[in-house]
């Protein structure tokens, strides 16, 4: 069997088109504040791409590059600024700042990365709220690929706050039977082989090999690892492709979806804020 390759770029383009229509329907363009702290070149590239995506769909972006000591005050200002509907604090922050502590300062109504404790709690409780962009993008890809989640065995490798945990909550909410793996999992291969839907979010290049994948499974590769051979996922794509039913590539799979879902969240936040003042 050769797997269908799920084209994240195409799905992301469709999501952006949908968002552009929604933006055009709003009384005024939503505003997204991007906050970049420190000199991390990869973070600078991510923020630039997010601003370009925003411009493409008609979202205004307000960019800030504060010194580490200014971040808390800036977040308070952005929380109070009515032109700002969403706040993106690009992570990781420089070592002198704590990612979770700074993220918690964001007004949950503007938490377009879905990472504040309130957003995380709402997700766990199955209540509406802003969902982290990468897991939301994975769910969108699964829907696009027509994957039946009800009753399916879903295995998530990785338990970060950013990806693994929120994704497991979303799969559970979609009525999958979810198994959560991590670095202490006793028999990762056997657990992964059970999966109808296998999501790799470990940050370990080539971790998922063909013998760990059941015939016809859907494999979503969240991993984004910079190696000497270039950008690579957590899945041995060439070999797993011969066993899986559907698979996402790296690059061109989950990455574009993460960016697209930020736009979805920004519009959702803007709409909710409009409703609240009506
Ligand atoms: P993270 O915070 O480092 O978490 C990695 C998780 O994987 C941890 O829970 C860890 O287990 C588990 N893990 C690591 N090695 C493992 C192994 N050999 N076997 C089983 N589990 C293992 O990483 P993250 O932020 O979730 O990111 C994961 C990957 O996704 C990275 O490559 C990152 O670059 C990528 N990513 C991509 C996007 C995108 O848009 N495409 C977005 C976000 C992240 P323990 O908890 O036991 O340590």
């Amino acid at each position: 069997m050769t797997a269908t390759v799920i084209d994240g770029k195409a799905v992301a383009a469709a999501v952006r088109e949908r968002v552009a229509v929604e933006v055009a329907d709003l009384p005024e363009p939503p505003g997204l504040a991007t906050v970049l702290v420190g000199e991390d070149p990869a973070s600078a590239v991510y923020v630039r791409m997010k601003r370009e995506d925003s411009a493409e769909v008609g979202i205004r972006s307000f960019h800030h590059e504060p010194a580490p000591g200014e971040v808390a005050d800036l977040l308070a200002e952005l929380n109070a600024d009515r032109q700002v509907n969403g706040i993106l604090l690009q992570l990781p922050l420089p070592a002198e700042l704590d990612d979770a502590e700074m993220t918690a300062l964001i007004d949950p109504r503007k938490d377009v990365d879905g990472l504040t404790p309130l957003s995380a709690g709402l997700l766990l409780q199955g209540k509406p709220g802003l969902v982290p962009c990468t897991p939301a993008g994975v769910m969108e890809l699964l829907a696009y690929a027509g994957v039946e989640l009800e009753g399916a065995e879903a295995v998530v490798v990785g338990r970060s706050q950013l990806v693994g945990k929120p994704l497991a909550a979303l799969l559970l909410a979609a009525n999958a039977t979810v198994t959560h793996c991590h670095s202490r999992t006793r028999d990762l291969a056997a657990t992964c082989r059970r999966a109808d839907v296998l999501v790799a979010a470990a940050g370990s290049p080539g971790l998922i090999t063909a013998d760990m994948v059941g015939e016809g499974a859907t494999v979503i590769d969240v991993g984004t690892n910079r190696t000497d051979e270039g950008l690579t996922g957590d899945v041995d794509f060439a070999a797993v492709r011969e066993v899986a039913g559907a698979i996402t590539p790296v690059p061109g799979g989950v990455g574009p979806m993460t960016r697209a879902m930020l736009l979805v969240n920004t519009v959702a936040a803007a709409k909710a804020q409009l409703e609240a003042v009506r």
Side-chain angles (χ1 to χ4, degrees):
M1 166 183 273
T2 301
T4 305
V5 176
I6 303 172
D7 183 350
K9 275 194 201 162
V11 185
V15 170
R16 284 198 302 275
E17 263 177 44
R18 200 174 79 205
V19 170
V21 171
E22 286 184 55
V23 167
D25 270 353
L26 288 169
E28 57 185 53
L32 173 67
T34 53
V35 181
L36 176 64
V37 195
E39 304 293 327
D40 181 38
S43 291
V45 171
Y46 288 140
V47 169
R48 181 173 51 74
M49 292 192 303
K50 288 167 185 178
R51 296 179 65 208
E52 286 168 5
D53 292 343
S54 300
E56 187 192 317
V57 300
I59 292 173
R60 278 185 296 180
S61 64
F62 306 99
H63 184 59
H64 299 270
E65 296 193 11
E70 297 166 351
V71 175
D73 285 346
L74 174 63
L75 292 175
E77 270 171 43
L78 297 173
N79 284 342
D81 186 341
R82 296 196 51 186
Q83 285 195 306
V84 171
N85 302 108
I87 301 172
L88 175 108
L89 176 61
Q90 184 67 38
L91 303 178
L93 295 170
E96 61 260 54
L97 293 176
D98 182 80
D99 287 3
E101 204 178 298
M102 289 298 126
T103 299
L105 299 176
I106 295 171
D107 182 334
R109 289 168 298 189
K110 300 188 178 186
D111 176 24
V112 286
D113 251 347
L115 294 175
T116 60
L118 185 74
S119 300
L122 289 172
L123 179 58
L124 214 58
Q125 291 183 344
K127 296 199 173 130
L130 291 161
V131 173
C133 300
T134 301
V138 170
M139 296 305 284
E140 194 77 32
L141 284 176
L142 291 171
Y144 165 84
V147 177
E148 176 67 55
L149 292 175
E150 176 109 13
E153 291 275 352
V155 173
V156 178
V157 184
R159 56 175 166 180
S160 69
Q161 307 292 346
L162 184 65
V163 187
K165 278 183 190 162
L167 182 59
L170 288 167
L171 289 165
L172 194 60
N175 295 322
T177 301
V178 182
T179 305
H180 214 157
C181 298
H182 44 77
S183 66
R184 316 291 167 86
T185 296
R186 199 175 299 139
D187 191 345
L188 185 65
T191 311
C192 289
R193 259 195 308 273
R194 292 208 306 259
D196 300 311
V197 177
L198 174 60
V199 184
S204 177
L207 175 68
I208 306 297
T209 49
D211 61 309
M212 297 165 79
V213 176
E215 187 82 26
T218 300
V219 179
I220 306 288
D221 192 352
V222 180
T224 310
N225 310 295
R226 276 162 231 286
T227 67
D228 293 343
E229 287 82 48
L231 203 64
T232 157
D234 289 350
V235 176
D236 177 356
F237 182 83
V240 170
R241 193 181 174 177
E242 300 306 320
V243 187
I247 187 167
T248 59
V250 177
V254 175
M257 293 306 295
T258 298
R259 287 164 53 189
M261 298 318 284
L262 175 69
L263 308 174
V264 170
N265 278 353
T266 304
V267 171
K271 283 185 175 170
Q273 287 159 39
L274 264 177
E275 281 299 309
V277 294
R278 273 205 183 129

